[in-house]
Amino acid sequence: MSSYRGRGLRQAAPWLAVAPALPGLMLILIRPLGMRFSGFLLVALAAVLLAEVYLRRWAGRARAGWWVQLAFRAALALVLVPLMMIEACVIHEGRKELPQQPADAVIVLGAGVSGNQPSLSLKTRLDAAIAYLETTDPDVPAVLTGGQGYGEDITEAQCMYNYLTENGVDGGRLILEEAATTTAENFAFSRDLLTKTGVDPSTDTVAVVTNDFHIARAKLLAARSGYGHAVGVPAELPWVHLQINYYLREAFAMVKSFLLD
């Protein structure tokens, strides 16, 4: 009986390894909820588990299989350990308290716009910006940065301006930057606008409003653009599943920023 049960488990192992791919494929299709990345991640997990199942079988039959399995696990560790360290940094930066020092300028980073309305991610940033701007001197300038992308009827900057002014923010302190299409460009293009207002980004304190999961990468790119003292103002997404999805994705985005941006 035990032999039969063991043989059944060995036969079922490949199917158990592939199981994470099924919800992953479903999540890839759920684009409106922003879960496409989680879907790809689950499919990748299924591929890793499936490879481990077959390598273990091979290792049990041949010495060469044992060496290949060892190399596979070593390569996996070389990928996962740095990613876990980066993920810890992303989480740490996103969970910091609001900066206590007064800001000399504020930058609100753009996100997706649906037609002419802010996406959920952008709306949370704008709500955080409203709360933070209420604590700053009215003379402190705020740059709204973001160009126009696919499916957007207006620029992200214009959408942010509309939302903020409709919710009581003085439009006179808002500066629109409508050309940037990446986070790196957000900071590069905003720097020139801040300089024209008398703010020196290399020495003055610039508060950056973005989602909590994005704070670490935003500060990295700000430093590369010559911002000497950028501090984060985190905006939290309302749903746990979205937070998990974006926090996981951001670790990979950090790697991309290290290498390419």
Side-chain angles (χ1 to χ4, degrees):
M1 178 65 71
S2 60
S3 176
Y4 176 80
R5 183 179 303 167
R7 186 165 61 253
L9 288 174
R10 287 194 297 272
Q11 292 174 346
W15 296 105
L16 294 175
V18 173
L22 300 179
L25 290 171
M26 293 178 62
L27 290 175
I28 288 173
L29 300 177
I30 308 178
R31 180 64 174 179
L33 293 180
M35 297 294 288
R36 186 178 292 255
F37 175 79
S38 294
F40 283 121
L41 196 61
L42 287 172
V43 171
L45 173 62
V48 169
L49 292 175
L50 189 61
E52 174 63 22
V53 167
Y54 282 100
L55 287 175
R56 182 176 297 181
R57 288 183 174 184
W58 186 16
R61 297 194 304 267
R63 185 70 173 175
W66 183 86
W67 283 108
V68 172
Q69 182 187 44
L70 181 63
F72 175 76
R73 291 178 175 178
L76 197 60
L78 288 174
V79 172
L80 291 180
V81 171
L83 278 175
M84 290 173 64
M85 295 174 64
I86 293 172
E87 189 65 53
C89 174
V90 170
I91 294 173
H92 174 71
E93 289 293 334
R95 296 302 175 184
K96 281 185 176 180
E97 297 293 328
L98 283 173
Q100 298 301 313
Q101 66 269 46
D104 300 296
V106 178
I107 294 178
V108 187
L109 299 182
V113 173
S114 300
N116 60 4
Q117 297 299 312
S119 62
L120 176 63
S121 178
L122 183 56
K123 184 178 182 301
T124 58
R125 298 182 189 192
L126 294 172
D127 290 337
I130 292 170
Y132 184 73
L133 288 172
E134 289 177 351
T135 69
T136 64
D137 189 298
D139 294 329
V140 170
V143 176
L144 314 177
T145 171
Q148 185 172 353
Y150 177 78
E152 299 177 344
D153 296 338
I154 56 177
T155 64
E156 294 168 6
Q158 185 62 56
C159 179
M160 289 190 281
Y161 179 88
N162 295 345
Y163 186 93
L164 292 176
T165 54
E166 288 169 4
N167 285 274
V169 177
D170 178 14
R173 68 186 302 191
L174 303 178
I175 303 170
L176 276 65
E177 186 290 298
E178 300 182 273
T181 58
T182 66
T183 305
E185 289 182 353
N186 286 148
F187 288 112
F189 298 164
S190 297
R191 180 185 175 88
D192 295 335
L193 296 176
L194 288 176
T195 301
K196 292 178 181 178
T197 69
V199 175
D200 184 354
S202 64
T203 57
D204 292 334
T205 299
V206 179
V208 180
V209 183
T210 188
N211 290 108
D212 48 7
F213 61 83
H214 192 224
I215 291 289
R217 186 156 61 98
K219 291 175 70 173
L220 167 69
L221 295 174
R224 287 188 175 180
S225 293
Y227 291 73
H229 194 206
V231 296
V233 179
E236 185 176 329
L237 289 173
W239 301 328
V240 173
H241 69 279
L242 284 180
Q243 290 179 337
I244 294 173
N245 175 72
Y246 282 112
Y247 265 107
L248 288 173
R249 189 179 74 173
E250 198 63 18
F252 292 88
M254 285 283 285
V255 173
K256 173 181 175 294
S257 293
F258 274 124
L259 299 177
L260 301 178
D261 290 340

